[in-house]
Structure formats: C-alpha cells, structure tokens
Amino acid sequence: MGKLQTLTSGRVASFTSAVARWPGSAAGERPRPDRITARQWTARLVLPAALALWLLSLRHVRLTEMRDYGLLQVLPVLFWVALGLLTFGFCLALTDRRTAGGWFAGYVLGLVAVIHATPTLLYPTLRYSWAWKHVAVVDAVIRHRGEVPHADKLALYNQWPGFFDLNAFFLQATGLDSALGYATWTPPVFNAVLLAPLLLLYRTVTRDRRLIWGAAWVYYSCSWVGQDYFAPQAFAFLLFVTVIALVMGQLPTSALYGASDALKDRWPVGRFVLVMVIAAVIISSHPLTPLMLISALVVLSLPRRNRRAVLPVLAGTVLLTVAWDATVARPYISENLNDFLDALLKPDTNVVSGLASLGTAAPGHVVVAWVDRGLSAAVFLLAAIAFAARPWVRRTSLPLLVLAPLPVLTANAYGGEMIFRAYLFALPAASLLIAALFLKPGSRPRLHVLAAYPLLLALLAGLMFGYYGKEAANYFTKDEVSAGRFVAATAPPGSTIVSLTSAVPGLYLHYDENTQVQLDEQDIGDRRRLVNDPVKGLAGFVQRATPQEPAYVILSRAQAADIYQRGVLPGDTVQRMDSALSKNPDYFPVYRTKDAVVYRYQGARSGTGS
C-alpha cells in the first residue's frame, strides 16, 4: 500500500510539474477586477462595429456577376474592411491577459458568422447540390419509413443511414415538412456548435485562455475544405472531434489532470459508455470517419503512458466498426473490396485522382486550386515550425493527431477527395500548434500578437479563396430551383433524368423512382461523342424513353458555371446542347426560364434522335 501511494504521489507530482510548465498553467490566469483600460474598450467596441459593417456590406451584392472567383469578386470593399477590423479587434483582445472568455467567444462566433452566414443571408435558396441531394435522401427515408429501395448509386446511404435516420426522426417529431427548411443554415450552425468540442480539446492541452481561443480562430481561418454543409461528413466530423477531446482529457498528460485525478486515465464507466455511443453513431453515419477515428486512436496509443486510457476506446471502436461493416455495410464492402485492395497496393494514386478533362479549367479556378494547396501546405509547415520552436507542444499528443490521417490517406482515394479530408481531420490539432507560435509566453505578448496580425489576415485570405472561389456553381437561382421541382413534380416513375453535372437543385428529389444520369461522370468516349454531336451523344442514355417513361434533360446556369470552372467539358457545352436540342423535333422544351431549360424526350419520331 505504501509503495502504491509513493508511486501515485510521484506520478501526480511529475504530471503536475509537466503541466505547470505549459502556457497558462500558473495561478492568476483569471482576469483581475482592475479598471477597464483604453485597449480593452477598443477591443469591445471593435466587435460590434465590425459586425455592423459586415451586415451593411451585404445590402447590395450582385450575385449574377459571379465568375471565376465566385463571391470574391462581388463582395464589396466594406465586407473586407469588416473582416480586417474583426481580425484586428481579436488580436487586440489577445494582447491583454485580462480579456474575459466571453469577448473571445464573441469574436470567434463573429468570425463564424461572417464566413459561413454570408452565403446563407445572400442566397435565395439552399447552397450546394450535395446538400440538396442529402435533403432528398431524408425525404425518401421518411417516405419508405427506413431503407430506400431502388436507390441505385445512392444505396450507399442505406448502409450508413445514421445521419438520415436522425433527421427523419427530428422531422417527424417536430411536424416539419422537409429538412430543406433548416438545411440552409447548416454551415453557420454547424461551425458554431463545433466550437464547443474544439474548446474542450484545446483545454486538455493548455489552460491559457488566449492560446485556446487563438487556436479556435486559426481553425476557422484555415478550414477551407467546405465539409460543413448538410451532410453526414459534417455530422460525423463534429462527433469525431468530440470523441478525441474526451479521450485527450483522459490522458495522464492532459492539462486537466490534477492531484485529485491520480487514476484519471482509468475510464469512469459512464464516460466510457458515452464515448462508445458517440463512436457507434459515427460508425453508422459515415464510412470514412470511423477509419479516421481508429487511425487517431492508434497514434494516440503509441506512447506507453497513454495506453490505459486509449486502448479500451480503440478496441471498442474497432469492434463496432468490424461488426457494422460485416453486417449492415456488407453489400458495399463486398462490392468494392477489390478496389480497396488495389488502393492499398497503389497508395500514390490516392493522393491525386479525377476525371480526364475535355475542356480547359477557368483561369480563376486554377488560381483558387493553387491557393487551396498553398494554404494547406502553410498550415502543415507552420505546425512543423511550432513543433521545433515550442518544446512544450512535444509533450502533448497534438503532433500525433496532426499525423494521424496520413495512413488513411494512403489507403483509399475516396473519389479524389482523400487529401482534402486528411487536411480536415488534421486541422484541429494543427491549429493549436500554429497558435502557439504567435502566442509565445513572455513579457511582451502585445508585440508577438500584433506581429502575427498579417499572418492571420493571410490565412483568412487563403480561406476565402477556397471557400468562396467556387460559388458561381454552388449558388442556385429561384429559376433553377423551379426547374428542378418541375421535373420532380411531372416526371412519371421510371423516367430518366439527365444533367451535365451535379449542379442542379432538386435533381435527386425522387431518386428512388427515376434514373439519374450525370454526363460529366461518364467515360471519356461517351463525353467525346456528346461534345462532337449533342443529340447523338445523348442517344445511348435516353434510348429506353417512352411516352409513359420519358427522359428529361436539364440545362442550367449553374451547370454552365460548373463546366466552365472545372473544364471537364468544353465551356460552351450547355449553350451548344441547348441549341442542338431546340432544333431537334424529338426534344421539346417543357420548361424554360432565363436560368434553366428542361427538354422532354419520349422516343424518336423521325429517326433524328437516334
């Protein structure tokens, strides 16, 4: 017994000593009740002023003028002034150790609002075609009271239905008609809610409020990937950060570890059950996030001191994932097993993946892509510099979490998006490392923070390119929405719905009843035939059309913008198809506005359609 007490006392003293060397661990961190200084008054006045300027800047934005750079080229100067002022006020707040957490929260949530609520406030309809697709899946789940039959390529969602089932339950419990009503606000709400687990994660590493809130600011300044819309990935990522924060708080090196928590790395039953429930929801909602979670838990278990806390969660997560994949997700796993094995044998192909292009990507789109890569590289470079320059971060598990997504990156291409997802999952940990660079503890914090102001502006500039630069194709007008709803309301079951790209709102509203054909996903030969002769190029996709089960071809402004940006087809494809179909007697327009046209085809009458 005496030996156990000696070991425990030594262990607590060692960890307490280590924590005491971390920034913000010393006593006296709470704000003192001194008089409010001029600097504090300035920081408090800048926040409402910046938000007021932001709202004023949104009054006269001409969305129809978006081209290569999306929202970047139509937002007024006042918007950028407001963003710069908001960043300056946040830096000013960081220079004072007495700044209360409420003001930091106001600034970070203000940043979330400026970045993520701007499209919501400006656009008349739901942003991004995949968000529309997920709304359609929820509606189908409600119609069929569970698994959706005849789901075709969306059958994947039947095997990871957690997100959709939860939304269906919410709609039925509240009496709402569709998720469309609240899906519009998903990006700002998701990012605001994500702040809680981010803060929980950062508090396991340091008690310095300035460092914690600085890391949160860096995260939102660099999260350009855009996986925050109405989607299973956003939901699963939120839960992923929550699990990692709870596990990090259980580690013996956590900044929350104290003398009263001598055996803290032994899980309380209730907390362990909570973590396993969250892991189960992740596993049932998204195929990729469980792999990222397992990878993160594996690297966290590498230090021997962490294993007592991490291994039970790792074992439970692996067991639940294997059980799910062997039962509910077995059809998808079995069908794609060979592709998974090929990806493991060719890891280099997982980093870069995509379709061959028949056109040329827009110059602005190329610039946006390079800025995205530059920002991503800068994040990892700054994190590496922090690892070298700030010895205290090496005693944390943050560097391990930054590297955790790399094994998954080499395992599968995930439709060409794996490199972006790896960046997304590494960003929470990398953000605190970066914050540690410009919040170096010392006698001159004001100089360090104000010197970092240009860096924070540069990170935000990179984010704006990645997050706003493609909005010409993500934004839908009311006319485009009306065209999609027209097809959904009039197309008989068994119809074929043809589009050039996925940039069509409501394209999948009845995906369980109709066949969807997306021409930019077809092989290179089919796309070449379409470019050479639109009518003959369509023939193979609409050949089964009859008067009872016709085919509909949707052409729209957003599809033209999407094609122009990515160059997957020649930039004038929409115009050429519209011209060719309007001259062919077998295709007749049944809906036309300035932004969209719908052609109906029900079989060749004169032989010209074949």
Side-chain angles (χ1 to χ4, degrees):
M1 184 66 178
K3 184 178 180 181
L4 175 60
Q5 289 176 337
T6 302
L7 290 173
T8 302
S9 300
R11 180 182 180 192
V12 171
S14 174
F15 291 143
T16 303
S17 175
V19 170
R21 293 192 296 271
W22 296 352
S25 297
E29 175 60 18
R30 294 184 179 276
R32 297 189 300 270
D34 297 342
R35 65 182 180 84
I36 300 177
T37 64
R39 194 189 336 159
Q40 287 176 310
W41 273 117
T42 303
R44 294 182 181 187
L45 292 174
V46 165
L47 175 58
L51 295 179
L53 291 177
W54 163 60
L55 292 174
L56 288 173
S57 73
L58 303 183
R59 292 181 303 168
H60 305 293
V61 178
R62 298 182 178 180
L63 297 174
T64 56
E65 296 181 2
M66 285 194 291
R67 294 293 183 272
D68 288 27
Y69 295 99
L71 273 178
L72 290 177
Q73 62 198 107
V74 298
L75 289 171
V77 173
L78 194 59
F79 176 90
W80 305 108
V81 171
L83 191 58
L85 187 60
L86 188 70
T87 306
F88 174 77
F90 180 72
C91 287
L92 199 60
L94 286 175
T95 62
D96 194 333
R97 294 182 181 275
R98 297 172 297 176
T99 301
W103 286 102
F104 285 131
Y107 270 105
V108 173
L109 290 175
L111 180 66
V112 169
V114 171
I115 296 173
H116 300 287
T118 292
T120 301
L121 293 173
L122 289 178
Y123 297 174
T125 64
L126 178 62
R127 167 183 177 264
Y128 196 43
S129 60
W130 278 84
W132 283 88
K133 182 182 295 187
H134 295 148
V135 169
V137 175
V138 174
D139 291 344
V141 168
I142 293 175
R143 285 200 311 271
H144 294 283
R145 298 182 179 180
E147 182 174 330
V148 181
H150 313 297
D152 195 24
K153 56 186 176 183
L154 298 189
L156 172 73
Y157 295 138
N158 286 333
Q159 294 160 46
W160 281 275
F163 171 78
F164 303 102
D165 287 345
L166 284 174
N167 276 275
F169 174 79
F170 174 78
L171 290 174
Q172 292 173 317
T174 59
L176 296 175
D177 293 332
S178 172
L180 189 62
Y182 59 84
T184 303
W185 286 95
T186 298
V189 171
F190 161 77
N191 282 283
V193 174
L194 179 63
L195 180 59
L198 282 176
L199 295 179
L200 180 62
L201 172 63
Y202 299 149
R203 278 180 57 80
T204 67
V205 177
T206 177
R207 297 178 183 177
D208 187 335
R209 289 194 320 279
R210 298 181 312 131
L211 185 54
I212 290 170
W213 287 104
W217 182 279
V218 171
Y219 172 83
Y220 289 115
S221 298
C222 299
S223 185
W224 67 265
V225 178
Q227 291 297 324
D228 55 9
Y229 60 96
F230 185 72
Q233 174 67 98
F235 175 66
F237 181 71
L238 173 67
L239 299 181
F240 167 87
V241 177
T242 303
V243 169
I244 295 301
L246 291 172
V247 172
M248 287 280 288
Q250 202 68 26
L251 299 183
T253 51
S254 169
L256 302 178
Y257 200 99
S260 62
D261 301 308
L263 298 179
K264 186 177 179 181
D265 54 344
R266 295 182 180 177
W267 283 91
V269 175
R271 191 178 303 174
F272 179 77
V273 171
L274 173 63
V275 170
M276 287 293 93
V277 168
I278 298 175
V281 176
I282 293 174
I283 292 164
S284 67
S285 298
H286 196 247
L288 172 64
T289 307
L291 302 182
M292 289 292 187
L293 179 58
I294 290 172
S295 182
L297 293 173
V298 167
V299 298
L300 285 178
S301 69
L302 293 180
R304 181 174 297 179
R305 64 179 180 269
N306 293 347
R307 291 175 185 171
R308 181 178 291 180
V310 178
L311 288 181
V313 180
L314 174 60
T317 302
V318 170
L319 180 62
L320 290 173
T321 302
V322 171
W324 185 271
D325 290 348
T327 54
V328 181
R330 183 177 179 180
Y332 179 84
I333 299 296
S334 300
E335 184 178 348
N336 294 275
L337 185 59
N338 290 335
D339 293 338
F340 295 152
L341 295 177
D342 288 343
L344 287 172
L345 296 175
K346 302 176 182 178
D348 56 309
T349 63
N350 299 328
V351 178
V352 180
S353 179
L355 289 169
S357 297
L358 294 178
T360 302
H365 187 75
V366 175
V367 172
V368 168
W370 278 108
V371 173
D372 292 344
R373 295 170 187 171
L375 176 59
S376 303
V379 165
F380 287 113
L381 176 61
L382 291 171
I385 294 174
F387 179 82
R390 301 290 182 262
W392 70 268
V393 304
R394 301 173 208 163
R395 296 191 293 271
T396 73
S397 297
L398 292 177
L400 294 174
L401 289 175
V402 173
L403 298 176
L406 296 183
V408 184
L409 173 62
T410 62
N412 194 274
Y414 205 69
E417 293 188 3
M418 184 60 80
I419 191 169
F420 306 140
R421 305 299 175 93
Y423 172 83
L424 173 68
F425 282 88
L427 185 58
S431 297
L432 186 54
L433 296 180
I434 295 172
L437 277 180
F438 66 85
L439 284 175
K440 178 182 178 181
S443 59
R444 307 178 71 182
R446 189 183 313 178
L447 181 62
H448 292 303
V449 174
L450 293 182
Y453 178 59
L455 171 63
L456 295 183
L457 286 181
L459 294 177
L460 270 176
L463 167 83
M464 290 300 178
F465 272 87
Y467 198 76
Y468 285 170
K470 305 166 188 175
E471 288 303 289
N474 293 338
Y475 151 71
F476 302 118
T477 65
K478 292 182 179 179
D479 286 343
E480 291 176 277
V481 173
S482 297
R485 287 176 172 169
F486 171 82
V487 173
T490 60
S495 299
T496 300
I497 315 298
V498 181
S499 66
L500 282 167
T501 77
S502 65
V504 182
L507 182 65
Y508 287 83
L509 283 176
H510 291 287
Y511 69 94
D512 52 318
E513 298 177 356
N514 301 314
T515 300
Q516 279 74 29
V517 176
Q518 191 175 315
L519 297 174
D520 68 338
E521 292 182 337
Q522 308 307 315
D523 63 45
I524 190 70
D526 288 335
R527 282 183 285 142
R528 282 203 180 100
R529 283 189 288 273
L530 184 73
V531 171
N532 293 333
D533 188 326
V535 174
K536 290 184 178 179
L538 279 174
F541 302 106
V542 300
Q543 59 186 353
R544 294 185 178 181
T546 66
Q548 293 75 34
E549 297 180 348
Y552 294 85
V553 181
I554 305 179
L555 306 174
S556 62
R557 179 211 58 82
Q559 291 182 82
D562 191 18
I563 290 171
Y564 169 70
Q565 285 182 345
R566 296 188 294 128
V568 68
L569 291 167
D572 63 346
T573 300
V574 170
Q575 293 81 357
R576 292 181 64 247
M577 283 193 66
D578 188 12
S579 175
L581 297 184
S582 66
K583 297 174 183 177
N584 190 288
D586 293 328
Y587 291 87
F588 49 97
V590 292
Y591 187 93
R592 181 182 288 275
T593 64
K594 67 182 182 66
D595 290 328
V597 60
V598 177
Y599 286 95
R600 178 183 171 113
Y601 175 82
Q602 54 189 39
R605 291 176 294 175
S606 60
T608 56
S610 60

